[in-house]
Amino acid sequence: MPLLDMFLFSSLISAVDPVAVLAVFEEIQVDEILYIVVFGESLLNDAVTVVLYHMFESYTEMGLENIIYTDVLAGFANFFVVALGGTVIGVIFLTAIANHFRIHQLEKVEKFVMSYGGLRGAVAFALVLLIDPHVVELQPMFMTTTIAVIYFTVFFQGITIKPLVKILNVKTAEKRKPTMNERIHERLMDHTMAAIEDLVGQHGNYHVRDR
């Protein structure tokens, strides 16, 4: 397998799908702070992935024999600036500095859950679809492998993360009763949506709930 093709696949498969991760966190009701931190981390992670992907895509189109030392230096510069720069910012600042001044400090267990919740999904799949099969002959295999990794992370890690959170005693969101204001607005929206369904002649779940 060509080295550049492997680098290209490695860059796209490193993309974590924040939608899938946050959906799982919503289901198991993790602490709100952990939810917010993962949401913010996903923004930086996706940016690093896209930069690496485009870099190795350019290398692959050029061909290994056509790459000169300036191209390699430019690629390393992009990697160190984006990838290592993001890691340094995350480790020293989102983990050490900022965490030290937090009211709620992230513990090792919470950091482990963040890592374990690295589910792959739409981002990796979209990137593998962008690969030109005429340039990268292994594109069909990359697509199959990406789908397999997505299935494994979503189903295995997604299913096991809930009992893992219970075993590790990770702090979960506190359940509270909705305020009077929230209950009034919820009922108002229910009646409004039920009225809209009646006007358009469709009877959905809001119509049933209103009845």
Side-chain angles (χ1 to χ4, degrees), residues 12 35 70 93 95 104 121 131 170 176 180 182 185 191 206:
L12 71 90
Y35 185 95
T70 54
F93 185 75
T95 302
H104 172 80
I131 298 178
V170 178
R176 63 177 180 83
M180 179 65 71
E182 291 173 339
H185 282 82
H191 286 296
Y206 283 102

Side-chain angles (χ1 to χ4, degrees), residues 22-32 35 162 165 170-175:
L22 297 178
V24 172
F25 280 9
E26 179 98 21
E27 175 66 23
I28 63 180
Q29 295 182 337
V30 298
D31 186 44
E32 292 90 345
Y35 185 95
K162 187 172 184 177
V165 166
V170 178
K171 183 180 179 182
T172 56
E174 298 180 359
K175 294 183 178 179

Side-chain angles (χ1 to χ4, degrees), residues 1-180:
M1 297 182 183
L3 180 63
L4 291 179
D5 290 1
M6 292 298 98
F7 283 150
L8 180 64
F9 177 74
S10 301
S11 64
L12 71 90
I13 204 63
S14 65
V16 178
D17 185 6
V19 177
V21 178
L22 297 178
V24 172
F25 280 9
E26 179 98 21
E27 175 66 23
I28 63 180
Q29 295 182 337
V30 298
D31 186 44
E32 292 90 345
I33 299 297
L34 188 59
Y35 185 95
I36 294 171
V37 170
V38 170
F39 180 80
E41 183 271 340
S42 65
L43 301 178
L44 180 62
N45 181 74
D46 289 346
V48 172
T49 298
V50 172
V51 169
L52 288 176
Y53 172 81
H54 283 300
M55 182 180 72
F56 288 119
E57 183 184 35
S58 300
Y59 284 171
T60 305
E61 292 176 353
M62 293 169 59
L64 187 60
E65 64 280 358
N66 298 323
I67 297 177
I68 59 177
Y69 72 96
T70 54
D71 298 322
V72 177
L73 292 177
F76 271 106
N78 284 333
F79 175 80
F80 281 109
V81 170
V82 180
L84 295 185
T87 302
V88 170
I89 292 174
V91 171
I92 295 180
F93 185 75
L94 283 175
T95 302
I97 299 177
N99 196 39
H100 181 72
F101 295 100
R102 281 182 177 275
I103 297 177
H104 172 80
Q105 296 186 1
L106 297 176
E107 301 176 354
K108 293 182 179 179
V109 175
E110 294 174 318
K111 296 176 185 177
F112 172 76
V113 172
M114 290 174 61
S115 301
Y116 192 82
L119 309 182
R120 270 60 180 176
V123 178
F125 186 68
L127 291 177
V128 78
L129 286 178
L130 293 176
I131 298 178
D132 188 354
H134 298 291
V135 178
V136 181
E137 297 180 356
L138 296 177
Q139 193 267 352
M141 187 184 71
F142 287 170
M143 182 179 297
T144 303
T145 308
T146 301
I147 294 174
V149 172
I150 291 173
Y151 276 137
F152 176 81
T153 57
V154 170
F155 285 100
F156 180 78
Q157 292 180 217
I159 290 174
T160 57
I161 192 171
K162 187 172 184 177
L164 188 65
V165 166
K166 292 183 178 180
I167 293 174
L168 297 177
N169 293 323
V170 178
K171 183 180 179 182
T172 56
E174 298 180 359
K175 294 183 178 179
R176 63 177 180 83
K177 293 183 178 180
T179 63
M180 179 65 71

Side-chain angles (χ1 to χ4, degrees), residues 184-206:
I184 292 174
H185 282 82
E186 183 179 359
R187 287 298 293 170
L188 176 62
M189 288 302 300
D190 287 345
H191 286 296
T192 303
M193 294 303 298
I196 294 175
E197 289 178 352
D198 286 336
L199 290 174
V200 298
Q202 294 182 355
H203 290 172
N205 52 343
Y206 283 102

